[in-house]
């Protein structure tokens, strides 16, 4: 039982990373923009989020640093990095009308480069090692709930022992669900993604919606990269662990059928797949083969979701297609 | 203010009918120059002299004959892989699984290199490895194409996931069945008979790749297949109405593309590394997308672009050792290059019409 609980807790920790990435990309794709740069965005979020927390601690000193402020700064730094990266993507695809696929790939190359560069540069500049104090590390990975809730057998660990970011992602998923289904702005955004020409004719400013959704969505995705660095990676820059996570997030968007609520359990499920090789041993299967499990599952998910041609579960109709008012 | 002046926007867009090809290339080359200038920013921010940095990059890549050889060795797989990707991208089939297809080819070639080296003469062995690598790479590319053709499965993610799967398999081979010394996690070096001969100081992979350039140019521009690919890229529906079997063409093209990637895998393991490890593709699959796109899918332009990116990659390593600037600067510059190249197409395709000055005067007087 305790092994199962430990697995769930670890799955949720990794799932949080994926959840931010997925939620951000859902928001972007709802506006009809397919941003394939999530991988690069998450790298940038990771490097700049870590930089935010690290330099904050360096400036105010270890003793005076507050965990709460560090969390806020890390989130802000990551969000800004992601927002700037997606603003570049937005400018090139929305205003300059370039191909979304290639621009997204370019953003992946650019973003992984920037993330790597920043992470490495910080390491070299700070004498070979960038790490936060244990006090801040605890702040990043400990729960916000009081002990008595955490100490409830089984449920306490499963529900109340996760880090702050998980609950933030949870709230975000609920808020996005509410936004898409219950607010006028959310409905407008969906209209832009489904049929920009109709939305345009109805007087909706499609350019504004596309820009905002892309930039905010990119910022949210970037937070995921930061969460990976400050929780799973133990507050040091670790690019190898982050590689592929952004792409999984893009795949998860399809798996979740563009629904924020599905992203919650989808992310935790894939979080479990990602860390299972560390926790659950299966005899006859070598670790290296075990590690590719999430990718094999993703392929199977892609195939199954494409085979089932359900009218309800389709991507936004204009996804990946740029909208030019002049070209009808 | 009169309503007349308000209705004229500051800048309008109009589609260009055509443009002088010399002007088109001037814009493209201009965008590359802008990208190189923008690439100075990160060096400047990190407190280095950008001019000196570029100088180190150039001298680190071309300064000595041995550096030039190393740079060309980097350019060979980039060029070959860009050639492989070109027909897919022309078809608007986003194959980003070149990395995996290279690895698949490398595995197949390595199998024969490790097991058959004492059974057949060298040139027969190399031929077998070549064919095996082509088929393996082709099949690895065919799988996503099959599902795309049959159920319209998202090929971008499918091809990408195939990368992680095959690289994981190499990691397993490295630590398992093909491991040399127990516990070393390394596959033994190939026997001399399984290595590519050296021509002019560089393994003969460069000859294979240059032949591929010519073949690909002919294939894309002067064959029925190339025509079909171009039509599908422009409009899948048009291709269907014209009676083309889109699914079959996709699978055929992806098998070809994967096959060429497999050849690159063969060249890398037999020519450069003489062994197999999980980083055999080493990001080539991604960088070559840049090569293909920057050269507008033109096979001959790819030669220049791949050499340019190889200089950047090789030089960045020198930069890292000399100025302690992380080598990932090359990725940043490559990313900026792509951004600029994608953006400049806008100025080729569209004309900006600014509000005539007359209305400004009118506005001021109102």
């Amino acid at each position: 039982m305790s092994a199962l609980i430990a697995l769930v807790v670890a799955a949720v920790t990794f799932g949080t990373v994926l959840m931010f990435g997925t939620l951000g990309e859902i928001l972007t794709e709802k506006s009809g923009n397919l941003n394939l740069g999530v991988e690069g965005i998450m790298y940038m979020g990771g490097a700049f989020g870590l930089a935010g927390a690290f330099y904050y601690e360096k400036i105010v000193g270890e003793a005076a640093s507050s965990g709460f402020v560090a969390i806020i700064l890390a989130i802000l730094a990551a969000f800004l990095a992601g927002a700037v990266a997606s603003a570049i993507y937005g400018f090139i695809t929305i205003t300059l009308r370039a191909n979304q696929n290639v621009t997204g790939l370019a953003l992946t190359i650019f973003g992984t480069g920037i993330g790597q560069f920043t992470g490495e540069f910080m390491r070299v500049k700070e004498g070979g090692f960038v790490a936060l104090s244990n006090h801040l590390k605890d702040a990043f990975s400990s729960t916000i709930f009081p002990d008595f809730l955490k100490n409830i057998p089984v449920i306490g660990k499963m529900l109340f022992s996760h880090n702050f970011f998980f609950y933030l992602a949870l709230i975000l998923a609920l808020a996005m669900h509410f936004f898409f289904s219950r607010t006028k702005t959310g409905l407008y955004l969906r209209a832009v993604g489904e049929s920009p020409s109709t939305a345009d004719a109805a007087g909706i400013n499609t350019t504004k919606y596309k820009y905002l959704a892309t930039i905010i969505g990119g910022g949210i995705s970037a937070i995921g990269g930061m969460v990976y660095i400050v929780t799973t990676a133990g507050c040091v820059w670790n690019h190898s662990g982050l590689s592929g996570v952004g792409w999984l997030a893009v795949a998860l968007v399809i798996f979740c059928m563009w629904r924020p609520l599905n992203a919650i359990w989808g992310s935790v499920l894939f979080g479990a797949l990602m860390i299972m090789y560390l926790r659950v041993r299966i005899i006859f299967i070598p670790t290296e083969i075990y590690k590719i499990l999430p990718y094999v599952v993703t392929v199977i998910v892609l195939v199954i979701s494409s085979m089932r041609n359900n009218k309800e579960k389709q991507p936004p109709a204009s996804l990946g297609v740029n909208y030019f008012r002049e070209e009808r | 203010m009169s309503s007349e002046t308000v209705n004229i926007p500051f800048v309008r867009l109009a589609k260009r009918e055509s443009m002088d090809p010399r002007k088109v290339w001037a814009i493209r080359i201009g965008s590359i120059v802008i990208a190189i200038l923008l690439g100075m920013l990160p060096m400047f921010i990190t407190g280095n002299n950008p001019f000196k940095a570029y100088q180190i990059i150039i001298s680190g890549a071309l300064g000595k004959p041995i550096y030039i050889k190393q740079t060309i060795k980097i350019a060979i797989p980039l060029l070959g892989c860009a050639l492989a990707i070109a027909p897919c991208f022309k078809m608007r089939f986003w194959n980003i699984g070149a990395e995996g297809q290279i690895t698949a080819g490398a595995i197949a070639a390595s199998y024969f290199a490790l097991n058959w080296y004492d059974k057949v003469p060298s040139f027969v062995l190399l031929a077998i490895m070549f064919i095996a690598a082509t088929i393996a790479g082709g099949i690895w590319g065919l799988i996503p194409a099959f599902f795309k053709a049959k159920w319209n499965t998202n090929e971008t993610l499918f091809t990408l996931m195939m990368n992680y799967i095959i690289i994981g398999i190499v990691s397993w081979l490295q630590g398992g069945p093909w491991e040399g010394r127990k516990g070393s996690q390394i596959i033994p070096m190939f026997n001399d008979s399984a290595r590519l001969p050296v021509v002019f100081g560089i393994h003969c992979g460069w000859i294979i790749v240059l032949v591929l350039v010519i073949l690909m140019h002919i294939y894309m521009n002067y064959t029925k297949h190339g025509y079909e690919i171009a039509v599908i890229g422009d409009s899948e529906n048009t291709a269907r109405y014209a009676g083309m079997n889109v699914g079959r063409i996709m699978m055929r093209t992806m098998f070809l593309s994967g096959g060429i990637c497999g050849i690159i895998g063969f060249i890398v393991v037999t020519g450069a590394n003489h062994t197999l490890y999980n980083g055999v593709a080493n990001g080539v699959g991604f960088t070559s997308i840049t090569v293909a796109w920057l050269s507008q899918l033109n096979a001959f332009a790819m030669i220049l672009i791949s050499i340019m990116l190889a200089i950047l990659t090789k030089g960045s390593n020198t930069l890292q050792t000399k100025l302690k600037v992380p080598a990932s600067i090359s990725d940043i510059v490559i990313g900026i290059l792509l951004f600029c190249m994608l953006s400049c197409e806008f100025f080729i395709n569209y004309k900006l019409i600014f509000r005539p000055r007359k209305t400004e005067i009118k506005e001021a007087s109102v």
Side-chain angles (χ1 to χ4, degrees):
Chain A
M1 195 65 204
S2 67
L4 181 69
I5 293 172
L7 177 71
V8 170
V9 172
V12 168
T13 307
F14 206 101
T16 309
V17 177
L18 288 170
M19 212 193 301
F20 276 109
T22 309
L23 288 174
E25 182 65 9
I26 288 179
L27 183 62
T28 309
E29 290 194 12
K30 280 283 184 188
S31 75
N33 270 0
L34 177 67
N35 188 348
L36 290 182
V38 182
E39 175 91 357
I41 290 173
M42 288 180 85
Y43 262 67
M44 285 174 71
F48 283 96
L50 178 66
F54 177 74
Y55 285 108
Y56 159 70
E57 194 181 31
K58 206 179 162 194
I59 289 165
V60 301
E62 194 188 323
S65 61
S66 126
F68 181 69
V69 179
I71 288 179
I72 298 294
L73 280 177
I75 289 177
L76 272 182
F79 185 89
L80 273 180
V84 169
S86 348
I88 299 174
Y89 167 86
F91 180 68
I92 295 176
T93 57
I94 301 166
T95 303
L96 298 183
R97 306 171 178 189
N99 182 294
Q100 294 188 8
N101 280 292
V102 187
T103 312
L105 292 174
L107 183 55
T108 291
I109 296 173
F110 177 76
T112 47
I114 293 260
Q116 264 284 66
F117 186 86
T118 313
E120 274 292 301
F121 184 74
M122 270 185 356
R123 198 176 60 77
V124 171
K125 205 171 174 209
E126 301 302 327
F129 202 62
V130 170
L132 300 180
S133 66
N134 287 334
H135 149 70
L136 280 193
K137 274 188 203 165
D138 280 349
F140 281 126
S141 48
S142 62
T143 177
I144 43 169
F145 289 104
D147 278 350
F148 74 90
L149 276 176
K150 208 166 78 179
N151 291 337
I152 305 170
V154 187
I155 302 171
K157 267 259 180 225
M158 278 194 176
L159 293 182
F160 302 113
S161 73
H162 310 300
N163 58 44
F164 167 76
F165 302 109
F166 173 66
Y167 302 105
L168 184 70
L170 217 53
I171 293 169
L172 187 67
L174 293 170
M176 273 174 64
H177 175 71
F178 179 78
F179 173 70
F180 287 140
S181 55
R182 293 279 181 274
T183 67
K184 208 163 97 183
T185 327
L187 215 58
Y188 282 176
L189 177 65
R190 277 167 58 195
V192 170
E194 293 294 340
S195 171
S197 53
T198 315
D200 196 12
I204 299 170
N205 187 344
T206 53
T207 312
K208 191 176 97 186
Y209 273 87
K210 273 175 177 276
Y211 260 109
L212 281 178
T214 306
I215 291 174
I216 297 172
I220 294 171
S221 295
I223 295 175
M226 183 272 293
V227 171
Y228 174 82
I229 295 294
V230 299
T231 57
T232 311
C235 295
V236 289
W237 173 246
N238 175 355
H239 71 278
S240 58
L242 199 51
S243 88
V245 173
W247 289 109
L248 272 184
V250 180
L252 261 171
V253 174
I254 298 175
F255 180 67
C256 303
M257 300 295 168
W258 292 267
R259 290 186 182 163
L261 292 186
N262 289 350
I264 300 172
W265 63 268
S267 310
V268 174
L269 178 70
F270 270 76
L273 290 175
M274 288 297 281
I275 49 102
M276 234 161 72
Y277 75 95
L278 291 169
R279 308 257 166 188
V280 186
R281 294 247 168 271
I282 301 179
I283 30 171
F284 301 126
I285 298 185
T287 319
E288 296 299 337
I289 296 293
Y290 203 169
K291 272 189 196 166
I292 62 179
L293 183 68
Y295 308 109
V296 175
V297 173
T298 308
V299 163
I300 295 170
V301 163
L302 284 174
V303 170
I304 291 176
S305 53
S306 66
M307 281 161 82
R308 146 182 83 173
N309 219 347
N310 191 330
K311 235 185 165 184
E312 281 287 290
K313 293 166 178 160
Q314 290 295 315
S318 81
L319 186 64
V321 184
N322 288 339
Y323 171 61
F324 315 140
R325 182 188 264 176
E326 299 92 338
E327 283 173 19
R328 295 258 168 108
Chain B
M1 217 187 265
S2 71
S3 63
E4 199 186 351
T5 47
V6 173
N7 280 340
I8 301 173
F10 177 63
V11 55
R12 280 184 304 135
L13 294 174
K15 196 142 193 174
R16 271 188 221 276
E17 291 299 312
S18 67
M19 202 179 186
D20 185 6
R22 269 178 303 178
K23 217 170 156 193
V24 170
W25 281 103
I27 290 183
R28 286 188 184 141
I29 289 166
S31 75
I32 290 179
V33 173
I34 292 174
I36 288 171
L37 290 177
L38 283 175
M40 288 180 170
L41 267 178
M43 300 181 203
F44 189 73
I45 290 168
T46 52
N48 292 296
N49 180 348
F51 293 101
K52 199 180 160 210
Y54 273 119
Q55 196 197 331
I56 291 175
I57 287 182
I58 301 283
S59 68
L62 305 172
K64 286 184 194 161
I66 184 155
Y67 296 165
I68 297 179
K69 277 180 196 167
Q70 286 167 343
T71 306
I72 292 177
K73 267 189 190 167
I74 297 174
I76 291 170
L78 278 181
L79 173 58
C81 197
L83 288 170
I85 291 175
C88 304
F89 273 42
K90 183 97 184 172
M91 198 171 63
R92 295 279 184 273
F93 184 106
W94 308 109
N95 173 21
I96 50 176
E99 199 93 349
Q101 290 143 23
I102 291 174
T103 312
I107 292 177
S110 301
Y111 174 81
F112 290 102
L114 293 170
N115 297 305
W116 283 33
Y117 65 90
D118 49 359
K119 294 194 178 101
V120 287
S122 178
F123 70 93
V124 179
L125 177 64
L126 286 173
I128 293 174
M129 285 163 68
F130 182 91
I131 293 164
T134 315
I135 294 172
I139 289 174
W140 208 249
L142 185 63
I143 298 169
F146 170 77
F147 287 99
K148 169 82 177 177
K150 193 114 181 139
W151 289 293
N152 200 22
T153 309
N154 184 317
E155 80 280 10
T156 320
L157 290 166
F158 201 137
T159 48
L160 187 91
M161 294 300 148
M162 296 292 276
N163 291 349
Y164 294 113
I165 293 172
I166 197 90
I167 290 169
I169 290 175
V170 177
S171 302
W172 167 65
L173 290 173
Q174 239 177 291
W178 291 8
E179 193 179 23
R181 197 165 41 77
K182 268 272 162 272
S184 65
Q185 299 274 328
I186 291 173
I187 294 170
M189 295 296 270
F190 292 174
N191 188 279
D192 279 342
S193 66
R195 297 182 183 190
L196 277 185
V198 173
V199 182
F200 296 130
I202 304 166
H203 63 78
C204 71
W206 65 270
I207 300 176
I208 302 177
V209 174
L210 286 182
V211 170
L212 281 176
V213 169
I214 295 163
L215 290 180
M216 189 48 86
H217 180 75
I218 296 170
Y219 182 77
M220 295 284 283
N221 296 302
Y222 301 104
T223 66
K224 188 172 156 230
H225 285 190
Y227 176 70
E228 286 172 337
I229 289 169
V231 173
I232 292 179
D234 278 339
S235 163
E236 226 172 89
N237 285 332
T238 310
R240 277 211 185 84
Y241 297 145
M244 294 177 193
N245 186 341
V246 174
R248 231 193 67 198
I249 295 169
M250 264 179 192
M251 291 200 277
R252 186 182 69 200
T253 311
M254 269 305 281
F255 184 80
L256 178 82
S257 171
I260 297 175
C261 287
I263 294 174
I264 305 307
F266 158 80
I267 290 174
V268 171
V269 288
T270 59
N273 297 345
H274 305 304
T275 183
L276 177 71
Y277 69 108
N278 56 11
V280 58
N282 197 18
V284 164
F286 286 100
T287 316
S288 56
I289 292 171
T290 321
V291 177
W293 205 259
L294 286 182
S295 45
Q296 299 286 312
L297 308 182
N298 176 331
F300 293 106
M302 283 177 197
I303 301 176
L304 281 179
I305 303 280
S306 60
I307 288 176
M308 190 174 105
L309 294 195
I311 289 174
L312 203 58
T313 312
K314 172 74 185 61
S316 303
N317 289 329
T318 318
L319 197 63
Q320 176 158 19
T321 44
K322 283 208 171 154
L323 291 188
K324 294 225 164 27
V325 173
S328 32
I329 183 80
S330 63
D331 279 341
I332 300 180
V333 178
I334 289 173
I336 295 175
L337 266 173
L338 256 180
F339 284 148
C340 289
M341 203 65 187
L342 287 162
S343 307
C344 87
E345 290 303 303
F346 174 79
F347 298 99
I348 293 170
N349 290 324
Y350 295 91
K351 181 157 64 178
L352 298 177
I353 304 168
F354 290 94
R355 183 168 51 194
R357 185 154 282 173
K358 205 168 68 186
T359 54
E360 276 175 28
I361 299 163
K362 214 193 266 175
E363 239 175 20
S365 65
V366 169

